[in-house]
Amino acid sequence: ADDRTLPITARCLESLIRLATAHAKIHHSENISISDCDFAFNILSTTIFGDSDTKEAITAENNNDIEQAREQIDIEMNDVVVHEPRRENIISQTLAQLQQADVSDGIVSVNNLLVALNATLSDSPNAIEFSSAEVDSVLKKLADQNRIMYDEEHGEIHAC
C-alpha cells in the first residue's frame, strides 16, 4: 500500500490551483477539468516524492501538450501572410525556374509552386514553410506589377 500523502497546507492548495489553472489554459479552456487537477496533483506529487513513474507520465503528457500546441500554431500560421522581401524573392525565383523548366507554355500550378518552395526548406530544420496564403499574396502582387497572369480560379500562373 502507498502510505505517502501530500501535506495539505494553504500553500500546497494554492499550488494545486495554479498548476491546474495553467494546465487548463494550455488547452485553451476557461474551465478547470478533472484531468487538469490530476495533472497538477501528479506534478506536485512528483516534486515532493520524486516518483520516476509519475515523472515519465508527466513527460509523456507534456510532450503531447507541446505537440498539440505546435499543431495549433501551425493552423493559425496558415492564415498569416508574411511580407518579407527575401521570401518574396524566393517565390519569384522559384516560379521563374518552374516556368522555364515547364514545356506547357510556361503555365505553372500554384500547388506545384508551393511544393517546390517547401522542398527547398528541407535543409533548414527551423525554416518556416511557405503557406498558400503567403504564396497567393505574392502572386497577386506580381500580377499587379504585370509580371505574371494569375488565374486564381484554376490555380494557374501564366508567364507574361
Side-chain angles (χ1 to χ4, degrees):
D2 191 2
D3 57 355
R4 301 178 303 180
T5 58
L6 283 176
I8 303 298
T9 63
R11 190 172 187 170
C12 182
L13 290 173
E14 289 170 353
S15 295
L16 284 169
I17 291 168
R18 281 193 299 276
L19 288 167
T21 302
H23 193 257
K25 285 182 180 180
I26 288 172
H27 292 94
H28 304 288
S29 176
E30 294 181 15
N31 301 316
I32 298 171
S33 68
I34 297 293
S35 68
D36 297 323
C37 295
D38 287 342
F39 184 81
F41 178 80
N42 287 337
I43 286 183
L44 204 54
S45 176
T46 301
T47 303
I48 292 171
F49 299 117
D51 185 4
S52 63
D53 291 337
T54 307
K55 282 182 188 176
E56 289 172 13
I58 290 171
T59 301
E61 187 166 344
N62 279 343
N63 289 341
N64 187 36
D65 289 346
I66 290 168
E67 190 58 35
Q68 286 177 350
R70 283 187 181 143
E71 288 172 8
Q72 183 64 33
I73 288 169
D74 287 344
I75 290 168
E76 291 171 5
M77 286 300 291
N78 245 354
D79 298 330
V80 173
V81 177
V82 178
H83 291 284
E84 185 181 329
R86 184 181 62 80
R87 289 175 66 87
E88 290 180 8
N89 287 338
I90 292 170
I91 293 170
S92 295
Q93 291 169 357
T94 305
L95 174 60
Q97 290 168 354
L98 289 173
Q99 286 175 326
Q100 289 173 355
D102 197 312
V103 291
S104 59
D105 299 326
I107 299 172
V108 176
S109 77
V110 176
N111 287 338
N112 288 347
L113 175 60
L114 198 55
V115 168
L117 286 166
N118 288 324
T120 64
L121 301 175
S122 62
D123 297 335
S124 305
N126 295 329
I128 299 172
E129 285 195 353
F130 289 89
S131 70
S132 56
E134 179 181 14
V135 171
D136 183 64
S137 174
V138 172
L139 293 175
K140 287 178 181 176
K141 184 176 179 181
L142 292 173
D144 288 345
Q145 297 169 350
N146 293 322
R147 292 175 55 196
I148 62 166
M149 291 184 291
Y150 178 33
D151 182 355
E152 293 178 62
E153 185 177 328
H154 295 103
E156 295 178 340
I157 309 152
H158 301 259
C160 284

